Amino acid sequence: MPTNVLIWVITTGIYFLGYQTSRNLRKRLDKPFDSVSTAFKHLAITTLLCLPLNINGNVFTVLGNVHSDGVKNAFSVFSIYQNAQNFSFSLVSIFQFSNKGDATSVLGPVYQEAGENAVSVVTISLRQNAKNGDASTMYGVLLKQEAKNIAFMMAGVPFMQESKGEFAIVTLGIVPYQIAREKAVVILGLVGYQYGLKEAYNSVGLSLWQESENLALNGLALALNQRVKSENRAFAVW
């Protein structure tokens, strides 16, 4: 049996059983359970909602889950698991993957990994990883955000933010750990450890430890300990 057919059958079964169980639990004792015909109607609707419709390698589904076998691009309203070769898009997702291209989710996911760019609008996530591109989150809490190029968060808490090639940037947030191959930048925030190989910069806020091999700067911020090359500075400003 093809992988996506098996996933479809399992997803449909779980959603249907979950819906029927919750529906029956809500019924009063004086009301009978659903008739067989009503249950079959619910099953048919669930089946259609979970169906991953494949059009020339582009898969469209409302509530279904998708694996990358024969799937170039995947689009869904809600998916617990979504995996495509090129592009993955979901309004709401839990686990989202793109092997070679971009992965984009409006709400979620808990785990997101993309061959190129990984994008989330609002998320509470264990990990966001852009293997060969940029990782971007507008609002959220991330245990770890990492990117080959730019790691960016507009507002939130990235516990660990890492750029292996270019910039690590947080506009507003609490940043326990930030490291970048080129520039590590916080516009407004509280920073635990900040390291930028070429430049570490905190515009407004407080840094416990700020370090760079070339240049460490603070605008209206204070670094309790600042290290540039082999020179240590305590309570560094500007």
Side-chain angles (χ1 to χ4, degrees):
M1 181 182 292
T3 303
N4 280 315
V5 174
L6 180 61
I7 291 175
W8 172 51
V9 171
I10 294 174
T11 302
T12 300
I14 291 174
Y15 285 174
F16 171 70
L17 291 175
Y19 175 75
Q20 285 299 121
T21 300
S22 64
R23 181 180 171 85
N24 289 332
L25 288 176
R26 290 197 304 268
K27 286 180 175 291
R28 297 178 181 177
L29 295 177
D30 59 339
K31 291 184 178 181
F33 290 156
D34 289 335
S35 64
V36 174
S37 61
T38 300
F40 269 113
K41 181 178 69 175
H42 295 161
L43 177 59
I45 294 172
T46 306
T47 299
L48 291 175
L49 290 175
C50 294
L51 180 66
L53 187 62
N54 192 323
I55 303 175
N56 295 324
N58 300 301
V59 174
F60 301 87
T61 182
V62 178
L63 301 178
N65 301 304
V66 181
H67 187 61
S68 59
D69 290 348
V71 178
K72 298 176 183 177
N73 306 301
F75 305 88
S76 70
V77 175
F78 171 81
S79 290
I80 295 175
Y81 173 79
Q82 186 184 55
N83 191 343
Q85 290 293 335
N86 296 327
F87 180 67
S88 295
F89 174 84
S90 182
L91 291 180
V92 182
S93 62
I94 308 298
F95 299 96
Q96 187 180 46
F97 302 87
S98 173
N99 295 337
K100 299 177 182 178
D102 300 343
T104 300
S105 184
V106 176
L107 182 62
V110 173
Y111 190 100
Q112 185 183 49
E113 184 172 279
E116 290 293 335
N117 303 308
V119 179
S120 295
V121 178
V122 179
T123 185
I124 297 177
S125 179
L126 296 176
R127 187 185 186 196
Q128 183 184 48
N129 182 21
K131 291 192 263 187
N132 293 295
D134 302 334
S136 302
T137 294
M138 296 299 103
Y139 309 97
V141 177
L142 290 168
L143 182 61
K144 186 173 184 180
Q145 182 187 49
E146 57 185 314
K148 177 67 178 296
N149 297 326
I150 298 174
F152 172 80
M153 173 173 277
M154 180 175 288
V157 183
F159 283 92
M160 299 176 65
Q161 185 185 52
E162 180 180 0
S163 169
K164 299 177 181 178
E166 296 183 14
F167 307 140
I169 304 171
V170 176
T171 304
L172 172 66
I174 298 173
V175 191
Y177 180 90
Q178 184 186 52
I179 184 170
R181 181 74 176 175
E182 293 192 7
K183 295 182 180 182
V185 178
V186 175
I187 305 301
L188 176 61
L190 300 176
V191 184
Y193 176 79
Q194 183 184 49
Y195 175 83
L197 181 64
K198 293 185 178 181
E199 183 178 324
Y201 179 70
N202 190 355
S203 179
V204 179
L206 174 68
S207 298
L208 298 181
W209 187 290
Q210 187 182 48
E211 185 174 353
S212 177
E213 300 302 320
N214 182 52
L215 183 65
L217 296 172
N218 291 288
L220 298 176
L222 171 68
L224 297 184
N225 188 83
Q226 186 183 74
R227 181 180 177 87
V228 181
K229 297 181 180 179
S230 59
E231 181 181 350
N232 284 316
R233 307 162 185 165
F235 302 104
V237 294
W238 304 106

